[in-house]
């Protein structure tokens, strides 16, 4: 067994025992290898985690099943590993750690491509979906991959617009890449797996949880060259993605909406806080990225 394969099996085994973003594990891996850790689980696993612990032999079965299903495992050191994930920890030493590994379906090169994350309200309005569609289509036309979380509302609209425009899109899931969530987006997620990339840090078959949704946000923020929030309320999870991206020195844009719309209140708050710049269309987003000419005032 070569070193890379040994490390891969160890990371698969460890993934079963710990939740995403575990700083304790990251500190241990800075001192020793995953393969060495798996040999002495009693030194790093809490008692309530031991029942989830997976041996190297069972990890091998998980790997074989994943490969048979067309799922690609990616670990640090692989060519396909996105180097920008290191920004998760460099932005804040107290932040959750970068993923232990990734699982992907589709074109894994998109994980390192220039991309813009577009995320926001699940219960989006017609206004929010229209603006999302226009921005995503323009970015796709400029060869930026459109990155989102495959959720209802803004995320789904961004994925669909990129695909319709003939562009590329990446869906970051809080579940295993073989477990479509939300179920109503199963067909969309399957299409993304064919024409783009679906990625997750959780094992195949894993169900989403509130914590895994929260941790997914750091991956979306790190993979993206910029983050855009077309529409979001003040309690939307998209705001945490924007804050994380800001902490990683990613440009953040927020689209204004009617002052009477609760669905846009989160966007207004991001601008007021200085976390985001106000953007109105794809040209403004390209400006955030230093691309395209500034729009002229024709008044």
């Amino acid at each position: 067994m070569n070193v890379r394969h040994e490390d891969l099996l160890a990371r698969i085994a460890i993934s079963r025992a710990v939740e995403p973003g575990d700083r304790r594990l990251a500190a241990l891996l800075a001192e020793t290898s995953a393969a060495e850790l798996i040999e002495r689980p009693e030194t790093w696993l809490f008692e309530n985690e031991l029942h989830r612990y997976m041996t190297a032999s069972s990890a091998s079965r998980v790997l074989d099943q994943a490969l048979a299903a067309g799922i690609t495992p990616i670990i640090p050191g692989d060519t396909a590993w996105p180097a920008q994930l290191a920004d998760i920890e460099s932005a804040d030493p107290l932040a959750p750690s970068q993923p232990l590994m990734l699982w992907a379906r589709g074109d894994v090169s998109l994980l390192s491509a220039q991309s813009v994350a577009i995320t926001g309200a699940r219960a989006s309005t017609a206004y929010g979906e229209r603006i999302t569609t226009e921005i995503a289509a323009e970015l796709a036309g400029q060869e930026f991959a459109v990155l989102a979380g495959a959720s209802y509302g803004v995320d789904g609209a961004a994925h669909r617009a990129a695909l319709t425009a003939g562009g590329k899109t990446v869906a970051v899931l809080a579940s295993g890449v073989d477990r479509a969530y939300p179920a109503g987006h199963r067909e969309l997620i399957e299409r993304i797996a064919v024409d783009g990339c679906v990625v997750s840090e959780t094992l195949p078959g894993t169900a989403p949880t509130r914590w895994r949704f929260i941790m997914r946000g750091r991956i979306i923020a790190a993979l993206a060259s910029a983050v855009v929030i077309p529409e979001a309320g003040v309690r939307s999870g998209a705001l945490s993605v924007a804050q994380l991206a800001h902490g990683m020195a990613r440009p953040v844009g927020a689209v204004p909406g009617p002052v009477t719309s609760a669905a846009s209140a989160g966007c207004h708050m991001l601008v007021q806080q200085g976390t985001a710049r106000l953007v109105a269309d794809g040209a403004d987003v390209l400006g955030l990225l230093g691309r395209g000419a500034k729009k002229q005032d024709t008044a």
Side-chain angles (χ1 to χ4, degrees):
M1 184 184 299
N2 62 41
V3 173
R4 189 265 178 189
H5 190 69
E6 186 179 30
D7 188 36
L8 171 59
L9 291 180
R11 287 173 183 270
I12 293 172
I14 293 170
S15 294
R16 174 90 177 272
V18 299
E19 286 294 328
D22 192 309
R23 291 291 302 177
R24 171 185 49 126
L25 178 63
L28 288 169
L29 287 174
E31 301 174 354
T32 188
S33 70
E36 289 172 332
L37 278 182
I38 198 176
E39 294 299 325
R40 42 189 179 89
E42 70 284 350
T43 65
W44 57 276
L45 283 178
F46 294 132
E47 185 176 349
N48 64 343
E49 294 170 331
L50 285 170
H51 74 281
R52 299 201 305 264
Y53 180 65
M54 182 190 297
T55 64
S57 59
S58 56
S60 184
R61 290 194 295 272
V62 170
L63 176 60
D64 290 343
Q65 291 168 358
L67 294 175
I71 300 171
T72 302
I74 310 169
I75 62 174
D78 287 350
T79 303
W81 182 260
Q84 63 268 38
L85 290 176
D87 291 344
I88 292 172
E89 296 172 26
S90 64
D92 181 354
L94 299 179
S97 67
Q98 63 176 303
L100 183 65
M101 64 179 299
L102 297 173
W103 300 87
R105 297 171 60 204
D107 184 358
V108 296
S109 71
L110 293 176
L111 301 178
S112 299
Q114 272 211 313
S115 64
V116 175
I118 303 179
T119 187
R122 287 178 172 84
S124 55
T125 67
Y127 166 79
E129 293 200 15
R130 177 172 63 82
I131 294 297
T132 297
T133 298
E134 291 174 358
I135 291 175
E138 181 154 0
L139 291 171
Q142 294 293 322
E143 298 186 347
F144 282 90
V146 173
L147 194 150
S151 300
Y152 292 131
V154 166
D155 289 45
H159 289 305
R160 285 189 289 268
L163 291 168
T164 300
K168 298 298 183 181
T169 189
V170 177
V172 183
L173 303 187
S175 61
V177 293
D178 58 341
R179 184 165 181 160
Y181 191 91
H185 275 176
R186 180 179 303 278
E187 186 174 325
L188 174 61
I189 292 169
E190 289 302 316
R191 184 180 173 194
I192 294 170
V194 173
D195 296 328
C197 185
V198 177
V199 65
S200 175
E201 66 182 311
T202 65
L203 289 167
T206 301
T209 63
R210 183 176 182 275
W211 178 253
R212 291 165 189 163
F213 275 115
I214 293 171
M215 288 296 98
R216 176 183 64 171
R218 79 196 197 290
I219 299 178
I220 292 175
L223 290 180
S225 304
V227 171
V228 177
I229 314 295
E231 188 174 55
V234 293
R235 298 184 67 181
S236 171
L239 302 191
S240 66
V241 176
Q243 297 285 1
L244 286 165
H246 182 67
M248 296 178 202
R250 308 289 197 265
V252 179
V255 177
V259 295
T260 55
S261 174
S264 290
C267 293
H268 300 158
M269 185 171 68
L270 288 173
V271 175
Q272 290 170 338
Q273 292 172 341
T275 300
R277 284 173 52 187
L278 188 150
V279 296
D281 53 25
D284 284 344
V285 177
L286 289 171
L288 280 180
L289 293 156
R291 293 273 295 269
K294 185 178 180 180
K295 292 184 294 185
Q296 299 296 314
D297 186 355
T298 57

mmCIF file of all heavy atoms in Angstrom, residues 217-244:
data_model
loop_
_atom_site.group_PDB
_atom_site.id
_atom_site.type_symbol
_atom_site.label_atom_id
_atom_site.label_comp_id
_atom_site.label_asym_id
_atom_site.label_seq_id
_atom_site.Cartn_x
_atom_site.Cartn_y
_atom_site.Cartn_z
ATOM 1 N N GLY A 217 -20.621 26.418 4.917
ATOM 2 C CA GLY A 217 -20.407 27.816 4.557
ATOM 3 C C GLY A 217 -18.950 28.185 4.405
ATOM 4 O O GLY A 217 -18.581 28.994 3.540
ATOM 5 N N ARG A 218 -18.075 27.597 5.229
ATOM 6 C CA ARG A 218 -16.651 27.943 5.143
ATOM 7 C C ARG A 218 -16.041 27.423 3.851
ATOM 8 O O ARG A 218 -15.106 28.024 3.311
ATOM 9 C CB ARG A 218 -15.900 27.409 6.368
ATOM 10 C CG ARG A 218 -15.557 25.929 6.355
ATOM 11 C CD ARG A 218 -15.180 25.424 7.738
ATOM 12 N NE ARG A 218 -14.478 24.143 7.749
ATOM 13 C CZ ARG A 218 -15.007 22.967 7.446
ATOM 14 N NH1 ARG A 218 -16.265 22.869 7.086
ATOM 15 N NH2 ARG A 218 -14.280 21.863 7.499
ATOM 16 N N ILE A 219 -16.553 26.297 3.338
ATOM 17 C CA ILE A 219 -16.049 25.759 2.076
ATOM 18 C C ILE A 219 -16.498 26.642 0.917
ATOM 19 O O ILE A 219 -15.715 26.959 0.011
ATOM 20 C CB ILE A 219 -16.526 24.308 1.871
ATOM 21 C CG1 ILE A 219 -15.993 23.415 2.995
ATOM 22 C CG2 ILE A 219 -16.076 23.772 0.515
ATOM 23 C CD1 ILE A 219 -16.456 21.974 2.910
ATOM 24 N N ILE A 220 -17.771 27.040 0.935
ATOM 25 C CA ILE A 220 -18.276 27.926 -0.114
ATOM 26 C C ILE A 220 -17.459 29.210 -0.153
ATOM 27 O O ILE A 220 -17.026 29.662 -1.217
ATOM 28 C CB ILE A 220 -19.765 28.236 0.117
ATOM 29 C CG1 ILE A 220 -20.614 26.969 -0.085
ATOM 30 C CG2 ILE A 220 -20.249 29.343 -0.822
ATOM 31 C CD1 ILE A 220 -22.091 27.134 0.242
ATOM 32 N N ALA A 221 -17.226 29.811 1.019
ATOM 33 C CA ALA A 221 -16.478 31.065 1.076
ATOM 34 C C ALA A 221 -15.042 30.891 0.591
ATOM 35 O O ALA A 221 -14.506 31.749 -0.125
ATOM 36 C CB ALA A 221 -16.490 31.607 2.506
ATOM 37 N N ALA A 222 -14.399 29.801 0.972
ATOM 38 C CA ALA A 222 -12.988 29.602 0.626
ATOM 39 C C ALA A 222 -12.794 29.279 -0.853
ATOM 40 O O ALA A 222 -11.828 29.735 -1.468
ATOM 41 C CB ALA A 222 -12.395 28.485 1.484
ATOM 42 N N LEU A 223 -13.677 28.485 -1.422
ATOM 43 C CA LEU A 223 -13.524 28.098 -2.829
ATOM 44 C C LEU A 223 -13.754 29.266 -3.784
ATOM 45 O O LEU A 223 -13.200 29.295 -4.883
ATOM 46 C CB LEU A 223 -14.494 26.969 -3.184
ATOM 47 C CG LEU A 223 -14.227 25.588 -2.595
ATOM 48 C CD1 LEU A 223 -15.291 24.602 -3.055
ATOM 49 C CD2 LEU A 223 -12.836 25.073 -2.969
ATOM 50 N N ALA A 224 -14.563 30.226 -3.360
ATOM 51 C CA ALA A 224 -14.968 31.307 -4.262
ATOM 52 C C ALA A 224 -13.932 32.424 -4.350
ATOM 53 O O ALA A 224 -13.230 32.725 -3.384
ATOM 54 C CB ALA A 224 -16.300 31.882 -3.787
ATOM 55 N N SER A 225 -13.870 33.049 -5.525
ATOM 56 C CA SER A 225 -13.050 34.251 -5.696
ATOM 57 C C SER A 225 -13.774 35.471 -5.154
ATOM 58 O O SER A 225 -13.146 36.484 -4.819
ATOM 59 C CB SER A 225 -12.738 34.460 -7.186
ATOM 60 O OG SER A 225 -12.120 33.322 -7.745
ATOM 61 N N ALA A 226 -15.103 35.397 -5.086
ATOM 62 C CA ALA A 226 -15.935 36.462 -4.526
ATOM 63 C C ALA A 226 -17.261 35.838 -4.134
ATOM 64 O O ALA A 226 -17.623 34.752 -4.608
ATOM 65 C CB ALA A 226 -16.146 37.582 -5.535
ATOM 66 N N VAL A 227 -17.990 36.517 -3.259
ATOM 67 C CA VAL A 227 -19.307 36.052 -2.819
ATOM 68 C C VAL A 227 -20.332 37.136 -3.076
ATOM 69 O O VAL A 227 -20.085 38.316 -2.796
ATOM 70 C CB VAL A 227 -19.293 35.685 -1.313
ATOM 71 C CG1 VAL A 227 -20.708 35.414 -0.807
ATOM 72 C CG2 VAL A 227 -18.411 34.470 -1.070
ATOM 73 N N VAL A 228 -21.478 36.735 -3.609
ATOM 74 C CA VAL A 228 -22.566 37.681 -3.881
ATOM 75 C C VAL A 228 -23.834 37.194 -3.185
ATOM 76 O O VAL A 228 -24.195 36.020 -3.288
ATOM 77 C CB VAL A 228 -22.822 37.816 -5.399
ATOM 78 C CG1 VAL A 228 -24.011 38.742 -5.656
ATOM 79 C CG2 VAL A 228 -21.585 38.343 -6.101
ATOM 80 N N ILE A 229 -24.497 38.099 -2.485
ATOM 81 C CA ILE A 229 -25.759 37.803 -1.815
ATOM 82 C C ILE A 229 -26.852 38.617 -2.508
ATOM 83 O O ILE A 229 -27.003 39.819 -2.251
ATOM 84 C CB ILE A 229 -25.706 38.163 -0.312
ATOM 85 C CG1 ILE A 229 -24.422 37.660 0.347
ATOM 86 C CG2 ILE A 229 -26.944 37.637 0.399
ATOM 87 C CD1 ILE A 229 -24.277 36.150 0.379
ATOM 88 N N PRO A 230 -27.637 38.021 -3.403
ATOM 89 C CA PRO A 230 -28.670 38.771 -4.107
ATOM 90 C C PRO A 230 -29.874 39.121 -3.236
ATOM 91 O O PRO A 230 -30.533 40.141 -3.445
ATOM 92 C CB PRO A 230 -29.090 37.825 -5.245
ATOM 93 C CG PRO A 230 -27.984 36.832 -5.357
ATOM 94 C CD PRO A 230 -27.471 36.680 -3.965
ATOM 95 N N GLU A 231 -30.166 38.254 -2.281
ATOM 96 C CA GLU A 231 -31.327 38.476 -1.422
ATOM 97 C C GLU A 231 -31.171 37.607 -0.179
ATOM 98 O O GLU A 231 -30.853 36.421 -0.290
ATOM 99 C CB GLU A 231 -32.614 38.104 -2.163
ATOM 100 C CG GLU A 231 -33.889 38.480 -1.431
ATOM 101 C CD GLU A 231 -35.133 38.219 -2.276
ATOM 102 O OE1 GLU A 231 -35.306 37.073 -2.732
ATOM 103 O OE2 GLU A 231 -35.911 39.171 -2.478
ATOM 104 N N ALA A 232 -31.364 38.196 1.003
ATOM 105 C CA ALA A 232 -31.233 37.430 2.238
ATOM 106 C C ALA A 232 -31.835 38.217 3.396
ATOM 107 O O ALA A 232 -31.657 39.437 3.488
ATOM 108 C CB ALA A 232 -29.768 37.119 2.550
ATOM 109 N N GLY A 233 -32.533 37.507 4.268
ATOM 110 C CA GLY A 233 -33.054 38.122 5.476
ATOM 111 C C GLY A 233 -31.974 38.219 6.527
ATOM 112 O O GLY A 233 -30.858 37.705 6.367
ATOM 113 N N VAL A 234 -32.288 38.855 7.645
ATOM 114 C CA VAL A 234 -31.266 39.098 8.667
ATOM 115 C C VAL A 234 -30.848 37.817 9.385
ATOM 116 O O VAL A 234 -29.805 37.788 10.045
ATOM 117 C CB VAL A 234 -31.751 40.134 9.698
ATOM 118 C CG1 VAL A 234 -31.909 41.494 9.056
ATOM 119 C CG2 VAL A 234 -33.048 39.691 10.360
ATOM 120 N N ARG A 235 -31.620 36.752 9.257
ATOM 121 C CA ARG A 235 -31.257 35.488 9.916
ATOM 122 C C ARG A 235 -30.807 34.429 8.908
ATOM 123 O O ARG A 235 -30.642 33.272 9.262
ATOM 124 C CB ARG A 235 -32.443 34.970 10.729
ATOM 125 C CG ARG A 235 -32.873 35.911 11.842
ATOM 126 C CD ARG A 235 -33.987 35.340 12.684
ATOM 127 N NE ARG A 235 -33.539 34.183 13.435
ATOM 128 C CZ ARG A 235 -34.310 33.467 14.249
ATOM 129 N NH1 ARG A 235 -35.578 33.797 14.406
ATOM 130 N NH2 ARG A 235 -33.826 32.431 14.908
ATOM 131 N N SER A 236 -30.593 34.833 7.687
ATOM 132 C CA SER A 236 -30.192 33.890 6.645
ATOM 133 C C SER A 236 -28.779 33.365 6.892
ATOM 134 O O SER A 236 -27.867 34.115 7.268
ATOM 135 C CB SER A 236 -30.251 34.564 5.273
ATOM 136 O OG SER A 236 -29.682 33.740 4.274
ATOM 137 N N GLY A 237 -28.573 32.068 6.638
ATOM 138 C CA GLY A 237 -27.244 31.482 6.740
ATOM 139 C C GLY A 237 -26.274 32.066 5.727
ATOM 140 O O GLY A 237 -25.051 31.968 5.906
ATOM 141 N N ALA A 238 -26.804 32.695 4.676
ATOM 142 C CA ALA A 238 -25.933 33.302 3.666
ATOM 143 C C ALA A 238 -25.101 34.432 4.255
ATOM 144 O O ALA A 238 -24.002 34.721 3.767
ATOM 145 C CB ALA A 238 -26.775 33.826 2.504
ATOM 146 N N LEU A 239 -25.591 35.066 5.313
ATOM 147 C CA LEU A 239 -24.838 36.163 5.918
ATOM 148 C C LEU A 239 -23.547 35.647 6.549
ATOM 149 O O LEU A 239 -22.521 36.331 6.521
ATOM 150 C CB LEU A 239 -25.686 36.882 6.968
ATOM 151 C CG LEU A 239 -27.013 37.479 6.491
ATOM 152 C CD1 LEU A 239 -27.600 38.382 7.569
ATOM 153 C CD2 LEU A 239 -26.850 38.251 5.186
ATOM 154 N N SER A 240 -23.587 34.450 7.118
ATOM 155 C CA SER A 240 -22.358 33.891 7.706
ATOM 156 C C SER A 240 -21.349 33.559 6.608
ATOM 157 O O SER A 240 -20.139 33.701 6.812
ATOM 158 C CB SER A 240 -22.676 32.648 8.538
ATOM 159 O OG SER A 240 -23.151 31.592 7.731
ATOM 160 N N VAL A 241 -21.832 33.128 5.435
ATOM 161 C CA VAL A 241 -20.924 32.890 4.305
ATOM 162 C C VAL A 241 -20.244 34.197 3.913
ATOM 163 O O VAL A 241 -19.032 34.249 3.672
ATOM 164 C CB VAL A 241 -21.678 32.290 3.105
ATOM 165 C CG1 VAL A 241 -20.740 32.134 1.907
ATOM 166 C CG2 VAL A 241 -22.291 30.943 3.464
ATOM 167 N N ALA A 242 -21.029 35.276 3.866
ATOM 168 C CA ALA A 242 -20.473 36.584 3.520
ATOM 169 C C ALA A 242 -19.441 37.026 4.554
ATOM 170 O O ALA A 242 -18.367 37.534 4.193
ATOM 171 C CB ALA A 242 -21.597 37.614 3.426
ATOM 172 N N GLN A 243 -19.732 36.831 5.835
ATOM 173 C CA GLN A 243 -18.787 37.222 6.877
ATOM 174 C C GLN A 243 -17.495 36.406 6.796
ATOM 175 O O GLN A 243 -16.395 36.941 6.961
ATOM 176 C CB GLN A 243 -19.436 37.032 8.255
ATOM 177 C CG GLN A 243 -20.650 37.900 8.522
ATOM 178 C CD GLN A 243 -20.304 39.356 8.806
ATOM 179 O OE1 GLN A 243 -19.134 39.750 8.783
ATOM 180 N NE2 GLN A 243 -21.308 40.164 9.054
ATOM 181 N N LEU A 244 -17.638 35.104 6.550
ATOM 182 C CA LEU A 244 -16.465 34.245 6.412
ATOM 183 C C LEU A 244 -15.615 34.679 5.221
ATOM 184 O O LEU A 244 -14.379 34.740 5.310
ATOM 185 C CB LEU A 244 -16.901 32.791 6.245
ATOM 186 C CG LEU A 244 -17.429 32.089 7.498
ATOM 187 C CD1 LEU A 244 -18.161 30.805 7.108
ATOM 188 C CD2 LEU A 244 -16.285 31.767 8.448
#
